[in-house]
Amino acid sequence: MTSGPRAPLTLLYAPGDRPDVVAKALRSGADAVIVDLEDAVAPERKAYALQATAELLSSPQPVPVHVRLPGAHDTAHDNAAIASLAPLPGLAALRVPKVTHGTDIHRIAALAPGVPLYALLESALAIERAYAVATAHPAVRGIAIGEADLRADLGVRDDRGLDWSRSRVVVAARAAGLPPPAQSIHPDIHDLEGLAASCAHGRTLGFLGRAAIHPRQLPVIERAYLPTSAEIAAAEEIVAAAATGTGALALPDGRFVDAAIVAAARRTLSLARRG
C-alpha cells in the first residue's frame, strides 16, 4: 500500500471512467488524487471505471490515490470494487460515501483489511453520528462532509446554514484523534475569488485543506491554507520563547503563552515547511 506521510492540503477529484483525466490529475501538483467511482460516473460506465482504476493502481503512483467507492449502500458495486482494489499497491485509501452508521465502516474494513478509510458524511443523520463514525474502527483515518447532499437533505439555501454541521464534524474528528477534515468542493471552477473566501472561512472553522474538481483550484486552496509570513513569524517567536523555559510564560509584548499555544505554533511551522 502507498500512503502519504502527511495529511494532504489539496485533493483533486477525477472521474474513474476517464483515465486521461486521472493521468492529468496525477501530474497536477495535488497532494492526493481521488478517483471517483460514485457520482462522477454514469451507472452504465461504472464497470469500465472500476476496470480502468484497477489497471492504474496495479502499480505504485507518484502521489497517494484515494478511491471513492460507488456508494455505502450499493453493496454489490462496493463489494466488487473493494475486492478489485484493496490488494493493489497503488491504492492509498478508500473513501466511503453516504456513511450513516459505524456498521457501514465495519463492513468495508472487514473486506479491505489494512486499507485506510475516509468516511463521507452527507446527511443530517450522519452529522448527528459524526463522532460515532469517526471512532467506529481503527481503519478510519478521517471524516469529511459531502456538502451537496447535506445541503439538499437539510434544505439549506444559504451557505452559512452549513456552518453548524461543519463545526460539528471538525470537533468530532479532533475528539476522535483524527486530522482536521478537509473542506468539501467549491463547485464553480471559474469563481476563484469565491473559492479563496470560502477557504478562508473554512480555515476559521478548523478545516485543513480542501477537495477540488479542477486543477486551477489547487493553488488557491494551497495559498489559503499555508500560513502567512506574519503567522510564521509569530509562531517562531512563540517556539523560541518556549525553548528558554518551561510552563506558562509571557512574550515581550505581554501575550500569555501556555503549552497549548506552543503546540499550535509548532503545527503552524510544520505546515509552513510544506510550502
Side-chain angles (χ1 to χ4, degrees), residues 246-257:
T246 59
L249 54 100
L251 298 179
D253 62 4
R255 283 179 295 155
F256 180 80
V257 175

Side-chain angles (χ1 to χ4, degrees), residues 131 134 143 167-181 205-208 267:
Y131 179 73
I143 57 176
S167 293
R168 178 74 177 266
V169 170
V170 169
V171 171
R174 302 305 290 146
L178 299 175
L205 294 175
F207 287 95
L208 181 63
R267 286 195 299 271

Side-chain angles (χ1 to χ4, degrees), residues 36-62:
D36 193 1
L37 301 182
E38 195 204 16
D39 291 342
V41 180
E44 65 273 13
R45 289 181 61 82
K46 286 188 183 291
Y48 169 69
L50 176 57
Q51 176 188 345
T53 303
E55 289 177 2
L56 170 76
L57 299 182
S58 62
S59 60
Q61 297 302 309

Side-chain angles (χ1 to χ4, degrees), residues 3-223:
S3 62
R6 61 192 186 186
L9 282 186
T10 53
L11 305 99
L12 181 60
Y13 273 99
D17 63 338
R18 293 287 307 279
D20 57 327
V21 175
V22 175
K24 291 178 182 177
L26 290 169
R27 301 191 300 270
S28 68
D31 290 333
V33 169
I34 303 173
V35 177
D36 193 1
L37 301 182
E38 195 204 16
D39 291 342
V41 180
E44 65 273 13
R45 289 181 61 82
K46 286 188 183 291
Y48 169 69
L50 176 57
Q51 176 188 345
T53 303
E55 289 177 2
L56 170 76
L57 299 182
S58 62
S59 60
Q61 297 302 309
V63 298
V65 176
H66 298 194
V67 174
R68 182 161 75 164
L69 293 170
H73 307 295
D74 189 351
T75 306
H77 280 112
D78 263 7
N79 287 353
I82 295 166
S84 297
L85 302 175
L88 299 180
L91 179 69
L94 294 172
R95 301 184 80 87
V96 188
K98 297 179 174 60
V99 173
T100 58
H101 197 280
T103 55
D104 298 329
I105 296 296
H106 276 274
R107 179 180 70 82
I108 292 171
L111 294 170
V115 177
L117 304 179
Y118 289 79
L120 303 180
L121 311 178
E122 306 182 57
S123 66
L125 181 58
I127 298 300
E128 282 296 303
R129 293 175 172 169
Y131 179 73
V133 171
T135 57
H137 194 280
V140 176
R141 303 297 172 80
I143 57 176
I145 301 177
E147 289 193 356
D149 284 3
L150 180 60
R151 184 178 283 108
D153 190 33
L154 296 176
V156 169
R157 296 184 180 181
D158 189 294
D159 187 69
R160 292 171 297 180
L162 292 179
D163 278 358
W164 183 88
S165 298
R166 292 164 173 155
S167 293
R168 178 74 177 266
V169 170
V170 169
V171 171
R174 302 305 290 146
L178 299 175
Q183 277 185 278
S184 185
I185 65 160
H186 186 72
D188 187 341
I189 64 172
H190 300 292
D191 180 24
L192 299 184
E193 185 175 322
L195 171 62
S198 177
C199 288
H201 180 60
R203 192 178 177 196
T204 68
L205 294 175
F207 287 95
L208 181 63
R210 188 163 199 164
I213 54 174
H214 194 282
R216 68 164 56 99
Q217 296 178 317
L218 301 177
V220 178
I221 295 169
E222 187 169 87
R223 281 196 301 271

